[in-house]
Amino acid sequence: MIFQLDKKIAFPDPRLGEPDGLFAVGGDLSVDRLLLAYSHGIFPWYSFRNEEIMWWCPMQRFVIFPNEIHISHSMRTLINKDKYRISINEDFNGVIENCSQLRINDEGAWLGEDMKQAYKKLFEQGFAASVEVWDGERLVGGLYGVNLGRAFFGESMFSLVPSASKLALIFLAKLFHLNGGLLIDCQLETPHLKSMGGRFISYDEYMKIISTE
């Protein structure tokens, strides 16, 4: 079942949605609605060329536990070379703009102006974060997402040089684990993320973890 949202900031039970995770359309991208959504494992994902916002909540969640991040031999070698500087929240706008531009011509591209502005507002209010990878003064990779409690909800990443996004994810996992973080929500399975320790858990187990204070 797919529900039509109105102006009221509320969501139906996502367990009643479609098998692929789509369960609602409409509403808006206000800070309050986004915070409510992420606190229940719900996220917006739709082509910015489509006028209607689509809300997803898969019942099988692809996640990385920060203490389980897999660092390959080649990544350890790259880290030990200390070639790149890694920072957090130094250039959120730069990260989200790069993530958008690298995919802007793809069919189904979703990171349009409305989405970018929504996450920039979350960042301004302390609910979103970015990790940047620098080669000198040049931003060459990074990722951003929503940070609520002890969960980080990854949204997008980019690399302008080989393995830059992997460096950003490893940095995030280590820092998040040191600060009590429990889970990184990857949203979608990719070979890249699976190779770094991503695995599926049930929505019920997922909710128990992201609700942990």
Side-chain angles (χ1 to χ4, degrees):
M1 182 180 296
I2 299 177
F3 298 88
Q4 180 70 49
L5 302 182
D6 54 27
K7 293 183 179 180
K8 182 181 179 182
I9 298 178
F11 288 97
D13 186 346
R15 294 176 180 84
L16 302 176
E18 297 295 301
D20 61 1
L22 177 63
F23 80 101
V25 297
D28 55 44
L29 296 173
S30 65
V31 169
D32 287 344
R33 188 184 294 275
L34 285 171
L35 292 179
L36 178 63
Y38 281 99
S39 68
H40 289 85
I42 299 164
F43 56 90
W45 185 38
Y46 64 104
S47 169
F48 69 85
R49 298 178 181 90
N50 180 345
E51 294 181 359
E52 199 158 36
I53 301 169
M54 303 170 73
W55 299 91
W56 302 76
C57 187
M59 292 294 103
Q60 291 295 312
R61 308 306 297 239
F62 194 69
V63 305
I64 290 177
F65 292 97
N67 62 328
E68 295 180 1
I69 188 77
H70 175 68
I71 306 173
S72 67
H73 176 73
S74 61
M75 287 306 301
R76 291 186 189 278
T77 300
L78 180 59
I79 292 169
N80 291 335
K81 287 181 178 179
D82 203 24
K83 180 178 180 180
Y84 302 108
R85 182 176 70 87
I86 305 176
S87 62
I88 187 164
N89 293 340
E90 279 192 17
D91 192 1
F92 184 90
N93 287 357
V95 170
I96 198 170
E97 291 296 341
N98 272 279
C99 288
S100 173
Q101 288 304 311
L102 286 177
R103 302 171 178 87
I104 199 70
N105 294 319
D106 292 354
E107 184 178 352
W110 56 272
L111 195 47
E113 198 59 36
D114 288 349
M115 288 280 272
K116 288 190 293 184
Q117 290 305 316
Y119 289 104
K120 287 177 182 180
K121 288 179 182 177
L122 283 177
F123 175 72
E124 290 167 1
Q125 296 192 29
F127 296 113
S130 61
V131 178
E132 302 86 19
V133 180
W134 303 90
D135 185 358
E137 297 299 314
R138 181 184 175 219
L139 180 64
V140 296
L143 60 82
Y144 80 94
V146 176
N147 187 19
L148 292 180
R150 300 174 75 179
F152 184 89
F153 306 86
E155 279 298 316
S156 190
M157 55 176 60
F158 79 99
S159 293
L160 300 181
V161 297
S163 299
S165 62
K166 290 184 179 181
L167 284 173
L169 182 56
I170 290 168
F171 178 89
L172 170 67
K174 288 185 172 182
L175 181 65
F176 204 45
H177 179 57
L178 285 173
N179 286 277
L182 298 178
L183 178 148
I184 298 172
D185 182 356
C186 302
Q187 296 185 347
L188 300 173
E189 179 186 8
T190 68
H192 174 125
L193 294 170
K194 187 175 181 179
S195 72
M196 299 185 73
R199 59 186 172 95
F200 284 103
I201 62 173
S202 71
Y203 179 65
D204 288 338
E205 181 181 355
Y206 170 92
M207 283 303 299
K208 288 178 183 177
I209 295 169
I210 71 170
S211 300
T212 301
E213 297 183 356

